[in-house]
Amino acid sequence: MAKKKSGAQQAQADAPPPASSLIICRNKHWRYISSFHGPWLQLPPEILDSLAHQNYTMPAPRLVDPAVFYDVVKIRKAVDEAAQDSVRASTGISNTAMQGRMDYFGTAGGPGSQLSKERIFKIRQKAVKLLSKAFVLDEVAASVATMQATSTVEDVGQHVLKREPNNVEAKYVHFFHEKIPSRAMEHYTPLDPLNEIISSLPLEQQAPPLRTRALVQIFKQQWDGAALDLTAALRITEELKRMHKPNQQQLELASKMRQEQDAWNKGHRDWRSVPQLKEEDQPQSLEQQLQFNRGGVYLTIACQSVHAALDGLKEYQAAQERGETTDADAKAHAARLEARKRVKMYAKRAMKDYTGFLSHFDYTPGLPFEITNEIMRRVYDLANGNKTQTPLPKNRLVELDNEQKGANGHGNGEGTNGHSSAAVVKHQKAKAEPFERGEDGWPRFPSPKIHPASALFAEKPPADLPVFPNEKTTHAMLNNETIHDAFGSREAVTYHPLLTDALHSLLLAHALVQTSPTEMLRHAHNAARLARIADGYPIFQAARSPARADWIEVLRRANNWLGLSVPWQKLCAPAPLPEAAGGWAKDSTSGALAKRREKKGETPEQKRERIKQESIIDALSDDRVVDEDSFQKAVRARERRALEDEQGISGPLKDKDASSSPSTSSADGDASLLPPKRWAQDENGKEYPISTDRAAAIARWIKEAPLSMGGKKKRPTKKRRPAGANGVHAATEALGEMNVDDQGDEEGPD
């Protein structure tokens, strides 16, 4: 048995003692697991498959990203089938016996037939292949699905490895299901099993295990290795896309699919008449996963160099003004310049990856106001018996007709004052129909314009973006009122479980690049615009976002340097459904109004109890709470911050209601006259810091980093690839010479 010791058991000899006695599967430690919770785990596979097809055939922007939708459907089918097979193998009874045997008289028969050992092994082999396929597609979604399945799937890989130690699929599945101490994944997860898996696979199949090894290195805080693995996986996927270009038959099929979709958009066809995509033709989300994770790695590397770029900078600048710098000071300043260069360089790389991730999703600003106004006018005319539906002119110029001429008695074109009627513009040409007409002669409802979500963060955003937040929405947000959107002008964006985290991570990267506050405010408003309309219903639930929590903490610590007029939580609040939805989602019921009045009229004891309960709930969801001591510290820190927010001490977000009662004591009243001291008052919370190291580093960078340090920008010459380098061989040669710093976008410290 000593020879068959697993890799995790070998690593336990040098690892520290376990922090917890709870032993769970390794995949339960995976990041962003909460993002993939939702009804897709309970819906019948047939309904889920039908919804995925309907989502794919609908006009853009689709409700859910088709790539991640098709992936979760395939993962759900694979995990369900693997769970059934693992149960059959563990019980050793045939499938017909498990379902129950009946004789001719409808009574239960005898015991079912037992499966042979060879048959049990074949069934487990099949289950391993299905689970491996699920983890290859998306290991986070597959981990969530296996948590909902039976416990027998956790041991199926280990059973196969006992008979086939070199089975690559069994190794990959067992890596996720191996039992390790809770909250100690970095100490009990060696990279040797993944190295063996990657080395035994051909190059075109190495991208998923490279992604897995990168995520493990993120837990181990080996950021450079994680960036290398993700970059290698991205290059493999790009080379595979070049090699598998669509042939003529696939292009004809895509053209036919486009025609079917256009017919469905025009209302001539139903989505059921559109043929379903084959599994090999369905889009996959691997490239999105790699871009998102590499962006997070680059952002973390940038944050790690913040303190090295700022420590001792003020002292050096003061000594330089006095002319008292030495060679050691100059050497230390050169190191600071190099650290500043790394901050800017990796932040730009993170922005590039997050922008590429957002480019996969569609956004529409909705229909223009002129179109919606015309629709409402025609509906009003029909309701009042006017069926002619004369188009309303866009300009408000006066139109003269023959009846007006005859009534005035001036057929020669002169008015009563002797001036020519040419001064009044006369429209003899009828206005063109604003709506296109279909084959049946009826006006066709216009389609809204579609933009990639990344276009909102370009230097020149789309010109048809509605203003957000405007005066009306700002007033409604500050007064906790319901926002009523105009008919037809509702914005929409394609949903992805990681969309919210990517939006806030992009804002954090912009803060490190030191984007101007005006442009940064525009990016923040657009990020809030997309976050409030992102909705994964009925497939995904709303998930917690670590980047959003860090961004809110950065706004607190940096004293709202952007000048947001509305708290971020209210800016990102989910947009309400329109009046046409029946008003069921409106928060204007008597119960909601009673809660608001109760909150405004609560006593100090009730406020203290409410803050305590909210702090306890918030602390229970913190991953850093591992024992009673850390729990008490987390609750006290959150209570202190909540009281500061209520009293206006952390006033950069203006969370305090101006109409509420003043401070409870004269001391609080004197303190409210002082400027915000959020950064200085964090000394009281040092025993348990609420914010993460990333949020603290970015906030310090915003407050202390100068815009320029006098360095000159340098752009290295780009190496041109030879003309013959293409395909898998080129990717193999590039992987051998790859470096995490070899990206070609290095600049100086500015």
Side-chain angles (χ1 to χ4, degrees), residues 9-63:
Q9 292 175 349
Q10 294 176 1
Q12 290 179 7
D14 300 329
S20 173
S21 59
L22 180 63
I23 306 298
I24 60 177
C25 292
R26 181 179 284 116
N27 63 342
K28 295 182 180 179
H29 295 82
W30 240 244
R31 305 196 317 162
Y32 300 106
I33 278 183
S34 64
S35 301
F36 286 86
H37 285 286
W40 72 274
L41 296 168
Q42 290 81 29
L43 287 174
E46 297 79 11
I47 295 180
L48 200 61
D49 197 4
S50 177
L51 290 175
H53 176 60
Q54 185 177 1
N55 176 76
Y56 180 77
T57 55
M58 71 177 297
R62 299 177 175 92
L63 294 179

Side-chain angles (χ1 to χ4, degrees), residues 220-237:
K220 292 177 171 292
Q221 299 184 359
Q222 300 174 3
W223 310 108
D224 292 341
L228 285 174
D229 284 344
L230 292 170
T231 303
L234 273 171
R235 291 185 178 180
I236 293 174
T237 55

Side-chain angles (χ1 to χ4, degrees), residues 71-136:
D71 280 354
V72 297
V73 171
K74 289 181 283 190
I75 289 171
R76 172 70 187 283
K77 291 180 179 179
V79 172
D80 286 355
E81 189 175 353
Q84 295 177 3
D85 292 340
S86 62
V87 171
R88 288 176 55 199
S90 61
T91 57
I93 304 176
S94 63
N95 196 18
T96 56
M98 292 178 61
Q99 295 176 359
R101 300 177 61 186
M102 295 291 178
D103 55 16
Y104 292 105
F105 300 99
T107 58
S113 60
Q114 295 290 327
L115 296 174
S116 63
K117 292 184 178 180
E118 185 65 22
R119 181 59 179 163
I120 291 176
F121 177 72
K122 293 295 183 181
I123 293 175
R124 284 173 173 162
Q125 270 188 327
K126 178 188 173 185
V128 162
K129 290 182 180 180
L130 292 170
L131 292 175
S132 176
K133 174 185 175 182
F135 284 115
V136 163

Side-chain angles (χ1 to χ4, degrees), residues 431-664:
K431 179 193 170 188
E433 176 70 26
F435 303 122
E436 298 180 2
R437 291 188 176 271
E439 298 177 357
D440 52 2
W442 288 92
R444 185 188 307 163
F445 197 78
S447 300
K449 292 184 178 180
I450 306 299
H451 308 283
S454 58
L456 276 67
F457 304 94
E459 295 182 0
K460 294 182 179 179
D464 55 349
L465 284 181
V467 179
F468 177 81
N470 52 33
E471 295 182 1
K472 182 179 179 180
T473 56
T474 301
H475 178 78
M477 290 176 181
L478 292 176
N479 293 276
N480 297 324
E481 297 176 355
T482 304
I483 302 175
H484 301 282
D485 291 336
F487 169 78
S489 62
R490 287 184 57 81
E491 303 170 88
V493 65
T494 303
Y495 182 82
H496 190 279
L498 303 175
L499 176 63
T500 304
D501 202 82
L503 291 172
H504 291 84
S505 299
L506 182 62
L507 295 180
L508 296 176
H510 271 289
L512 291 177
V513 177
Q514 293 182 316
T515 304
S516 62
T518 303
E519 186 177 0
M520 185 75 180
L521 182 62
R522 176 174 66 86
H523 292 328
H525 285 161
N526 286 333
R529 178 201 307 271
L530 295 181
R532 68 188 294 266
I533 61 177
D535 187 7
Y537 182 84
I539 305 302
F540 297 103
Q541 294 177 349
R544 293 180 300 170
S545 171
R548 176 178 174 175
D550 287 347
W551 171 250
I552 294 176
E553 188 64 23
V554 166
L555 288 175
R556 293 177 182 274
R557 288 175 172 262
N559 296 328
N560 189 20
W561 86 105
L562 296 180
L564 292 173
S565 58
V566 180
W568 188 256
Q569 294 87 337
K570 294 183 179 181
L571 274 177
C572 295
L577 292 179
E579 298 286 347
W584 61 269
K586 293 173 58 178
D587 192 17
S588 59
T589 59
S590 58
L593 296 176
K595 290 181 179 179
R596 292 175 189 171
R597 297 192 190 99
E598 181 181 357
K599 184 175 180 181
K600 287 187 177 181
E602 63 183 354
T603 62
E605 292 77 11
Q606 293 175 344
K607 179 191 294 185
R608 193 179 302 109
E609 185 65 23
R610 174 178 58 83
I611 292 176
K612 182 178 180 180
Q613 295 296 330
E614 293 175 354
S615 302
I616 292 175
I617 295 175
D618 193 13
L620 288 174
S621 62
D622 197 330
D623 294 337
R624 293 168 293 181
V625 175
V626 295
D627 52 13
E628 182 67 23
D629 186 31
S630 59
F631 174 73
Q632 294 295 337
K633 291 180 179 180
V635 172
R636 287 196 299 268
R638 282 166 171 79
E639 287 180 348
R640 185 182 301 109
R641 187 172 68 178
L643 289 174
E644 291 176 358
D645 291 345
E646 293 284 345
Q647 297 171 1
I649 298 178
S650 60
L653 291 183
K654 300 182 176 63
D655 290 338
K656 185 181 178 184
D657 189 0
S659 63
S660 61
S661 59
S663 54
T664 56

Side-chain angles (χ1 to χ4, degrees), residues 302-320:
C303 293
Q304 286 181 337
S305 302
V306 166
H307 298 295
L310 297 178
D311 289 342
L313 179 60
K314 294 182 179 180
E315 292 78 1
Y316 173 80
Q317 292 177 344
Q320 191 178 25

Side-chain angles (χ1 to χ4, degrees), residues 44-332:
E46 297 79 11
I47 295 180
L48 200 61
D49 197 4
S50 177
L51 290 175
H53 176 60
Q54 185 177 1
N55 176 76
Y56 180 77
T57 55
M58 71 177 297
R62 299 177 175 92
L63 294 179
V64 182
D65 178 50
V68 70
F69 205 155
Y70 277 122
D71 280 354
V72 297
V73 171
K74 289 181 283 190
I75 289 171
R76 172 70 187 283
K77 291 180 179 179
V79 172
D80 286 355
E81 189 175 353
Q84 295 177 3
D85 292 340
S86 62
V87 171
R88 288 176 55 199
S90 61
T91 57
I93 304 176
S94 63
N95 196 18
T96 56
M98 292 178 61
Q99 295 176 359
R101 300 177 61 186
M102 295 291 178
D103 55 16
Y104 292 105
F105 300 99
T107 58
S113 60
Q114 295 290 327
L115 296 174
S116 63
K117 292 184 178 180
E118 185 65 22
R119 181 59 179 163
I120 291 176
F121 177 72
K122 293 295 183 181
I123 293 175
R124 284 173 173 162
Q125 270 188 327
K126 178 188 173 185
V128 162
K129 290 182 180 180
L130 292 170
L131 292 175
S132 176
K133 174 185 175 182
F135 284 115
V136 163
L137 290 172
D138 192 331
E139 56 200 55
V140 181
S143 299
V144 177
T146 54
M147 291 179 193
Q148 304 291 328
T150 59
S151 59
T152 54
V153 299
E154 299 177 356
D155 302 326
V156 65
Q158 186 176 7
H159 287 302
V160 174
L161 285 176
K162 291 179 180 179
R163 186 167 174 178
E164 290 184 350
N166 296 326
N167 190 315
V168 178
E169 294 174 336
K171 286 182 180 180
Y172 194 53
V173 172
H174 181 61
F175 174 81
F176 290 100
H177 290 157
E178 191 174 13
K179 302 293 192 303
I180 61 174
S182 177
R183 300 181 183 273
M185 178 176 171
E186 61 275 11
H187 300 299
Y188 295 92
T189 306
L191 298 177
D192 296 338
L194 292 174
N195 297 336
E196 297 175 1
I197 294 172
I198 294 173
S199 60
S200 59
L201 290 174
L203 181 63
E204 59 269 14
Q205 299 179 10
Q206 290 182 4
L210 282 172
R211 173 201 61 197
T212 305
R213 190 171 69 178
L215 296 182
V216 173
Q217 291 184 89
I218 291 175
F219 277 101
K220 292 177 171 292
Q221 299 184 359
Q222 300 174 3
W223 310 108
D224 292 341
L228 285 174
D229 284 344
L230 292 170
T231 303
L234 273 171
R235 291 185 178 180
I236 293 174
T237 55
E238 292 172 359
E239 291 296 333
L240 290 177
K241 289 170 64 176
R242 294 190 187 101
M243 293 172 57
H244 296 84
K245 291 183 178 179
N247 53 25
Q248 185 64 25
Q249 183 180 2
Q250 291 175 337
L251 291 176
E252 293 176 358
L253 179 62
S255 177
K256 183 179 179 181
M257 175 69 72
R258 193 179 301 108
Q259 293 175 2
E260 294 283 351
Q261 187 173 1
D262 292 340
W264 184 84
N265 295 341
K266 296 176 182 178
H268 304 316
R269 296 288 183 88
D270 189 20
W271 62 271
R272 299 178 184 86
S273 63
V274 181
Q276 290 201 6
L277 286 178
K278 297 180 181 179
E279 185 172 331
E280 57 270 15
D281 297 331
Q282 295 174 358
Q284 296 183 359
S285 62
L286 178 59
E287 183 179 0
Q288 302 172 9
Q289 303 169 33
L290 298 175
Q291 288 178 334
F292 177 83
N293 288 301
R294 192 175 69 169
V297 171
Y298 284 154
L299 185 59
T300 304
I301 296 176
C303 293
Q304 286 181 337
S305 302
V306 166
H307 298 295
L310 297 178
D311 289 342
L313 179 60
K314 294 182 179 180
E315 292 78 1
Y316 173 80
Q317 292 177 344
Q320 191 178 25
E321 293 178 357
R322 298 192 302 266
E324 300 176 355
T325 57
T326 61
D327 294 340
D329 295 336
K331 186 176 180 180

